[in-house]
Amino acid sequence: MLFQSNRPYCGMEFSENSSATQYTPHATLLRQLLISSLMALAMFFLCVGKSLAAEHIIQMTAEEVHEDGFGSKLMAYKMLSHTVNGTNITHRYSNHATIPGPTLFLTEGDTVNLTIYNDIPGANAGVLKGISSQVSVHVHGVHYKIVSDGTLKVINQEDDQGAGVGPAQTHANYSYTWDVAPGTAGTWAYHDHNYETHNGAEHKGLFGAIIVNPVGAANYAKEFVLYLTDDAFWGMEIDSHGMKQKKHGINPDFIARKDSEVRFHLIALGTDIHKFKLSGYQWADPGTNNMINEVAIGPLEKHVFTVKATKNAQYSDENFTNKLMGMVGKLKVSH
Amino acid sequence: MNKYFSGLSIPLTKMTVLILFTVTMLASSMAFAAVHNITLTAETLPNGQLAYKLSGEARAAIPGPTLFVKQGDSVNVTLTNNTAVPVSFKVPGVGEQNPAMTAPGATATYAVDATTVGSYVYHGNSNGKELLGLFGALIVDKTDGSVERYVNDNGALTAVAQADIDKQLVLFMVGSTFWATEIVDGIQKPLWANPILGAAEDEIVRFHVLSVGPAHTFHLHAHRWLKPGTDSVIDTKLLVDGADAHSFTIKAGAGVGKGDWQFHCHLISHMEAGMHGSFKVGGAGTSSTVGASPYGRILLGTDDVPGLVTFEISDEGASWFRSARGDAIVGLPYDIKTKSLEVMAPGSSVNFVMSDTNGVHTISTLLWPTGAHHMPFDQTSAYRGGGIIKLDTPGLYVFTCKVHPYMFGAVIVDDPNTVGLDLGNPEKEYKIDLVTGISGLPTSSDLAVRLLRTFFVATSPDNWQDYSSQIWNVKFPTLPVRISGAPFSEELTQGGVSAPLSILNVNDAPLALLGKPAVPGVGEVWINTQFEKTDGKTKPGTITVVDAKNWTVKRKIALPEINMNNPHNMWVNRDQSVVYQTQWFDTKLTMLKRNNGQLIKNIHVGDTPSHVMTLPSNDDITIAINGENGVALIPAGKFEISKILPTQAAGHTSANPHGHWVSADGKSIVTPNINTGDIGIYGVDGKIHSRTSTGNNAPGAHPIAIGMMPDSSKVYAANLLHHTLSVLNGDTGALIKTINLIADYHPITGAFADNDGNGEIAVGVLPIQSPVSPDGKAVVIASTGGQIVIIDTATDTIVKMLPCDPGCHGANFGAKKGGGYYAYVSNKFSNRMIVVDIDPNGDGNIADAGIAGDVALVAGNNTAIDDTVNSLPGFGGQGVLAIPVVYNGWVQNLPSKWKKGLTDAQKNPIGH
């Protein structure tokens, strides 16, 4: 296993292609582990007096996307830039607005300064009948002060905390500070809370995930992010090699190398209650040692599990209507 | 004794209550185990909701008393039922799962052993009535005095002892409303509906979040806690269908500080329905603020605090939005015939709970006082739950369900400083706004008065047209109302003077059947008499089968063995032997034998299936899943859905298709998408060919039913709330024309004139089913405002208006004996079927279209029955199906015995 290495420590830049981040075959695992440990140890001593915590500066915007051909639109977040202690890692993200939005990898102890912009047509038009044109980023799981709640003033009693024209305040952009404090490890949703009403447009595509790892956490060959919505899975795949975010969209087919450790990040969103299955696999229920092979998950719950990719499988939602509407995808295991 | 060990936490002022508890310390093997003897009553609150009351307390509360016990204790409950419905004391997951019911006025005892640590719901188990407030929490704590750990600001999982707790908050998630109790120093204080919870920063707060009824997820902003039984840190938790409970402890503001942190259900539909509140974390002494109270400022309320009126959403005809105190309101001396009207003061809230329905619904405003805040109130998609909204602006608010758009509930928010009940906003000349985009409509206008009449007729069976009685009375409340400008009566001309609504009454109007059509029809006419009630069922609805040979009611099919619920629309298989029946307030498609009405199969198909048709090409069954987002397919001869064709691209708003039609070649399915205001044309392979907005982009046009030309060249779609008929190219979906069905009506004065210059004064208010005749000559539109409008497909213009009854709804064609076609038209709020002959002289010109006669839909002496009708006989006419099916594409597939009665032209309607 490797130490978390998707970001530089102490301003020391790792090449995205350095051996420390590459997929590691089993045979060399032990050796690699030793080297990595030594490197980390060395770095720790090199950085005495400096915190291991990283500072993330993130800029994102929201756009209209996925014209369905019949005039109905969705919205999506787009990464504009992401630097970690000054190192630019923006190339890991799609150049386009995507559903789900960018997956942000963080480590306990980090801080995040995220600024949201708004490129949705009408963002700067006046507010009609109190309808908000703002978009925001409301995050789950991590610590933040009330000014970073990403909600409208009608909720937080402080400010319309988004970009665009709000019912009470207007901002060209809005910045949030997150304290990725100890105890916040896990996978969490972020989503809009301000578009049109105080409920926002999370169900129109404005959602994404943060993955908070503990310091020194295991690394996984692949990270699969899957949002369970009312008629489809929206997902993406991230290869630990290069951390490039790919395969955005509906019911993606995931690919894993045989016997590699892969991690699924499930978050539900919408109105339906789902029952997730990954055929032929079982996994530990988070926070317990219980092995399970299906899980009930409701909107904005998260469920993170790892499996060793041993065989092809189908993932599915067993919800009556969703299953009949084809809410399934594949895990393809290659040799 | 530890304050939590005594079983219940009691207000200090009510300490005498303690003597009612006999806490018996048991000796020997069960050291420290206690027996808690608890005396409860079930009560009716001023707003009609139900609640448990602890003996000795002055008042019942929602939730009921929180019962704290220790593992190993036992609980004996003595329950006296002071309500009008049977109630119980059920603790799901603990003890007796089918406890005895306590009849009204009776007393019974219940015993529960607290063997397992955890949080449990107790509830009344009253067939849905428990959702009105008969629920509470039973908390079984560890004997060592420890409770759930909290996640500290440094991430440490920190142990908590009972003595460390500063405050406990009990939050029930029911329908789409939070019901809360705050417990500090053992004092239980009701916080009622959607309160503001308060705590000082760093206080240790133990939450007990519970649910009864449909599922929820609970989310509290910026706080984390442990998933019960695990070390998993979460900030959102699912509470599953039925009953569920979840306790956790937090340190208020840990790592995040002070603020107004929102808590809410995270299901989108419930968020939109108002299911949220605030957790205020502040300085020392920060306290909670009570929410809307059933004792507060509502009609006949007792307390000068914000009040709450509650509607139960029901499958029962007319009572779809039934005030929890509807029976009491009808009994008031104001001649109120509806159970769907409530009156409250500004600043009070209206609450909805889907406690008596198997379907899914929205809670959506149809009209509201001009300038009212937070309007329209609506949800993106239909779901189970309810809704809650605070109303500050005086005036009339009418709520409906978008899926079932004749479900109505009305609330008058009355400014106590004006004379009479305010029907509009006093600040805006008592005007109202409509969801269709009309704003500033004077409440004195003809349209406003018609809408008011529609409400009082639809929700009051006493105001329906019962042809058996031969007279018709419509009674409006004697309450004076305040409207724009002059009141209803010419005599009362001083602008703004209030007049009683009963000025609109219709008294002893004669009501007579026209008589049976002279020429028989071919076969049978099946009509969904959707509101008719029978002895063997709790749910309404029958199928009424009329023999077209002699126009008698041949059979009534209630299907008590499956409690058939609101049968809405039908079709039949190729050989006309199996009838398919949707249950529109339920989840089922029913198959039954045509010849004897016997049940074949009752199949789960999804939420709120509306219409059903076969594909003429292969006899597969297509079902519009009106409460969801697709059209289900059941292969011919099978009893299971093979797939659901989505009516929209993934992630896009649910279309909620209602009355679809299938092309004569069986290749495309055309749906009126009520939720997205468009017509979709879909391939049977699931491909979306086109989606075309209707109603000239007005909001909420509500396309509801489709008719198609026999060669599929044109699609006709009725837009219920836009009062138009859209004409589309059947191939491309391109909009050809929008026919205004109310051009000849002046909404302010009510004057009728040939404004569209087509030579006829004709209007169709609230058009619904609009089939095209099998020969493609005419569209017949049943309009719920009480008109039948006939369109000539050659010119796509209105050629005729014929009178219909209130709630005119369904229409479908069948063969007329000897040639030609009858359109059979049903009515929701009367109990007859009207027979329209589109071309009596058979010359091919439909200018002579007229009513051929009518048929009472009440069972006669020779009617075969499977259950006994006990009320609303023959009412609720909706889906209509003539057997044999004689539409082009289907008629050619009829078995020879069914073709025998048809003319050559009827057998081949467009090739002839």
Side-chain angles (χ1 to χ4, degrees), chain A residues 72 74 138 140-145 149 182 193 198 202 204 231 270-271 287 299-302 321 324-325, chain B residues 153-155 217 219 221 224 230-231 233 235 238 256 262 266-269 276 604 628-629 644 651-653 688:
Chain A
S72 173
L74 297 179
H138 167 74
H140 285 231
V142 296
H143 294 185
Y144 56 81
K145 302 295 179 195
D149 195 35
H193 218 305
H198 65 79
E202 64 185 62
K204 303 307 284 177
D231 56 5
T271 292
L300 274 294
E301 279 196 310
K302 40 76 177 271
T321 302
L324 285 162
M325 287 182 62
Chain B
D153 42 13
N154 63 0
T217 55
H219 172 52
H221 282 204
R224 285 146 296 281
T230 79
D231 286 345
V233 177
D235 74 349
L238 172 66
V256 299
Q262 194 185 34
H266 225 305
L267 274 66
I268 295 284
S269 290
H276 51 80
H604 182 89
E628 302 192 62
N629 46 6
I644 296 178
H652 289 264
T653 305
I688 303 176

Side-chain angles (χ1 to χ4, degrees), chain B residues 549-695:
Chain B
K549 275 200 307 289
N550 53 22
W551 308 112
T552 57
V553 177
K554 186 177 180 175
R555 189 183 302 282
K556 287 265 178 186
I557 305 163
L559 295 179
E561 64 268 46
I562 58 163
N563 205 5
M564 181 167 67
N565 183 9
N566 278 276
H568 181 71
N569 179 265
M570 299 158 288
W571 204 257
V572 64
N573 71 339
R574 231 174 223 190
D575 67 13
Q576 318 289 291
S577 63
V578 180
V579 173
Y580 308 126
Q581 172 70 62
T582 60
Q583 297 184 46
W584 193 29
F585 285 64
D586 219 294
T587 59
K588 303 287 190 355
L589 177 86
T590 304
M591 297 186 182
L592 62 154
K593 293 179 182 168
R594 187 208 55 80
N595 63 348
N596 60 13
Q598 284 179 3
L599 177 71
I600 298 170
K601 209 87 177 174
N602 199 32
I603 302 162
H604 182 89
V605 292
D607 287 329
T608 307
S610 49
H611 280 224
V612 55
M613 273 186 95
T614 59
L615 299 179
S617 46
N618 59 11
D619 222 19
D620 285 359
I621 306 160
T622 67
I623 307 142
I625 308 299
N626 199 187
E628 302 192 62
N629 46 6
V631 175
L633 270 184
I634 298 178
K638 296 288 199 296
F639 299 116
E640 258 186 25
I641 297 177
S642 60
K643 58 181 167 181
I644 296 178
L645 312 176
T647 39
Q648 59 290 308
H652 289 264
T653 305
S654 285
N656 295 64
H658 182 83
H660 68 298
W661 202 265
V662 171
S663 66
D665 59 9
K667 285 184 179 160
S668 45
I669 299 166
V670 184
T671 66
N673 298 327
I674 62 118
N675 198 40
T676 43
D678 68 295
I679 306 304
I681 302 183
Y682 307 90
V684 293
D685 58 357
K687 191 172 183 318
I688 303 176
H689 292 311
S690 67
R691 294 187 67 186
T692 307
S693 288
T694 63

Side-chain angles (χ1 to χ4, degrees), chain B residues 226-346:
Chain B
L226 287 175
K227 189 173 179 181
T230 79
D231 286 345
S232 184
V233 177
I234 60 172
D235 74 349
T236 306
K237 176 70 171 69
L238 172 66
L239 293 122
V240 302
D241 280 336
D244 203 353
H246 169 52
S247 294
F248 61 90
T249 306
I250 60 160
K251 185 166 90 176
V256 299
K258 298 183 175 79
D260 287 85
W261 303 108
Q262 194 185 34
F263 65 88
H264 57 98
C265 176
H266 225 305
L267 274 66
I268 295 284
S269 290
H270 291 171
M271 290 162 69
E272 292 173 330
M275 195 167 189
H276 51 80
S278 182
F279 179 50
K280 188 188 242 340
V281 176
T286 301
S287 60
S288 301
T289 306
V290 174
S293 164
Y295 293 90
R297 286 187 290 266
I298 62 175
L299 177 70
L300 308 178
T302 55
D303 294 7
D304 192 20
V305 297
L308 185 79
V309 296
T310 290
F311 290 97
E312 289 179 89
I313 307 305
S314 171
D315 294 341
E316 189 75 33
S319 294
W320 304 287
F321 283 78
R322 182 176 58 224
S323 167
R325 53 177 179 167
D327 291 333
I329 283 175
V330 167
L332 295 173
Y334 304 121
D335 221 8
I336 302 174
K337 300 293 184 188
T338 175
K339 296 177 183 174
S340 302
L341 177 67
E342 269 292 357
V343 180
M344 64 183 201

